[in-house]
Amino acid sequence: MPDYDFRSTAVVIVDRESNTRRLLRGILARMGVDKILDFASAADAPAALIAVQPDLLFIDADAPDPEGLKFVQGLRHAQAPHNPFIGVIATTWQPTQPLLMRFNATGADDMMVKPFSAKQVQDRLINLIEARKSFVVTADYIGPDRRRQPREGIQIPLFEVPNTLRQKAMGMFDRNKAADAIANAHDAINVQKIVRSGFQVAFLIDFACPGLSAGADRMAADHLIRSGTALDDLMRRLKPDADLRGQAETYAATIRATIEQFKAAPDLPLGGVQPLRAAAIGIAALTSRRADLSLVENEVRGAVTAYRNRLAQLAQAKQQAAAEKEEDKPAD
């Protein structure tokens, strides 16, 4: 193992199994980690994350609902006043496909399968110190970039976030510089998240509008409700004195009023969707700081068209698979 010094490193362990917590404490203590806190539930961890400002979090991915992974997602989205960039290693007894999908959506750095050895824990820490992935920001995700190769279309910027685990292990940690770096990284990611959320609001609403006009379209309804969640996140991130705030509030008021109108009569066609769509395009243009509304509208419409085509392809493939399965059935 490289000559890293973990004595000043702070680690929090969240796991409902006391044996797992005891095992991890022992391994980390032998590595030289002095400050280790452990909890049986993620509900008990927030106060410790604020008071201790840990550099690394081990969290149980098998917790109910799944409590642990939801906690990580909230952490990455800075929903509480602690460092959203700490290293996070999830643990599980069984890495099923559904669990891996949830893990990938949370922003955790790595996963360990139980039972694990001391070497596995050491390897994970070394990887976080020497080869931590840059972060990416999308409408729904903040965390390590898991893409094997860049996607086509708009290139999403990557962020090398502060890594206090690395700084402390290598004897380079300065509290004031680290605090400034965390604040700067948070501001940069917040700007990108506002842009992504603005586009997401427009995308969801543009997709929903045809179905809302027809009435009783469940998929359209789901997308409209999701647009409200994206809008709330966007407005939460806009500072009260931001230059965009006033106009954003105007657009947001139109969108929220329409959502409430829909909730009051979800089975009836929604009249006057044009102001809703105009407000959605407006907020996407505003948050991306572009004056050409037609260009923004074309981008949103293109994304919606591509999404509809993918849904149609999936439906066709599902129908074809069902038909082939029916043909393979033995005759009575």
Side-chain angles (χ1 to χ4, degrees):
M1 180 177 176
D3 189 20
Y4 294 125
D5 186 351
F6 293 106
R7 285 176 296 178
S8 62
T9 302
V11 178
V12 169
I13 301 167
V14 178
D15 199 295
R16 55 183 170 169
E17 298 173 343
S18 59
N19 288 337
T20 300
R21 300 199 304 273
R22 191 179 305 113
L23 172 63
L24 266 174
R25 287 186 70 98
I27 292 172
L28 293 168
R30 289 192 293 275
M31 292 174 63
V33 180
D34 284 337
K35 190 177 294 183
I36 307 170
L37 299 178
D38 67 88
F39 305 94
S41 169
D44 300 324
L49 265 64
I50 295 172
V52 178
Q53 291 294 311
D55 312 291
L56 179 62
L57 169 67
F58 288 91
I59 194 150
D60 179 15
D62 297 329
D65 291 330
E67 179 190 68
L69 295 182
K70 286 182 179 178
F71 179 80
V72 175
Q73 192 167 31
L75 171 71
R76 291 299 191 224
H77 282 76
Q79 293 177 357
H82 38 58
N83 178 9
F85 308 118
I86 62 174
V88 177
I89 298 174
T91 61
T92 180
W93 284 104
Q94 190 172 7
T96 62
Q97 190 63 31
L99 178 65
L100 289 173
M101 290 177 66
R102 291 197 298 270
F103 163 80
N104 285 334
T106 63
D109 290 278
D110 208 341
M111 177 174 280
M112 285 197 311
V113 179
K114 305 173 187 178
F116 42 76
S117 65
K119 184 178 185 309
Q120 287 174 301
V121 176
Q122 292 173 0
D123 287 346
R124 294 308 195 280
L125 265 66
I126 292 172
N127 187 64
L128 280 174
I129 293 169
E130 299 180 353
R132 189 182 192 187
K133 293 181 178 179
S134 299
F135 274 36
V136 67
V137 181
T138 70
D140 303 313
Y141 175 80
I142 299 175
D145 181 20
R146 307 192 198 281
R147 298 171 299 177
R148 297 188 178 182
Q149 58 185 14
R151 297 188 181 100
E152 296 180 0
I154 299 174
Q155 295 302 308
I156 300 176
L158 299 178
F159 297 87
E160 186 175 343
V161 298
N163 186 348
T164 58
L165 174 66
R166 181 176 189 274
Q167 293 166 3
K168 289 184 178 180
M170 298 182 69
M172 303 185 304
F173 180 74
D174 180 292
R175 185 177 300 277
N176 293 330
K177 290 182 179 178
D180 289 343
I182 290 168
N184 291 337
H186 180 269
D187 288 344
I189 283 180
N190 200 54
V191 168
Q192 284 298 314
K193 193 65 173 68
I194 289 170
V195 174
R196 304 297 167 209
S197 294
F199 189 88
Q200 180 78 342
V201 169
F203 170 85
L204 292 168
I205 288 176
D206 192 85
F207 178 90
C209 278
L212 295 174
S213 297
D217 185 316
R218 182 172 179 178
M219 183 173 286
D222 289 343
H223 281 66
L224 178 65
I225 299 303
R226 285 176 57 199
S227 76
T229 302
L231 179 65
D232 289 343
D233 183 69
L234 188 160
M235 299 306 292
R236 176 178 69 87
R237 292 175 181 278
L238 274 178
K239 295 178 181 179
D241 59 346
D243 59 331
L244 307 178
R245 185 81 197 192
Q247 186 60 54
E249 289 281 10
T250 301
Y251 290 135
T254 298
I255 295 169
R256 286 170 173 156
T258 308
I259 291 174
E260 292 305 312
Q261 177 188 346
F262 169 78
K263 287 180 178 179
D267 295 326
L268 298 178
L270 187 64
V273 296
Q274 206 49 44
L276 171 66
R277 180 182 272 133
I281 297 298
I283 208 165
L286 181 72
T287 52
S288 61
R289 296 183 181 273
R290 289 187 292 176
D292 191 338
L293 291 178
S294 62
L295 181 60
V296 175
E297 186 172 10
N298 288 337
E299 288 182 1
V300 171
R301 192 63 53 82
V304 169
T305 299
Y307 179 49
R308 289 191 185 280
N309 289 340
R310 287 198 298 273
L311 291 177
Q313 291 169 0
L314 289 172
Q316 184 178 3
K318 186 175 181 180
Q319 291 175 355
Q320 184 175 348
E324 290 174 354
K325 184 176 181 180
E326 190 67 27
E327 290 176 358
D328 290 340
K329 283 184 178 180
D332 292 336

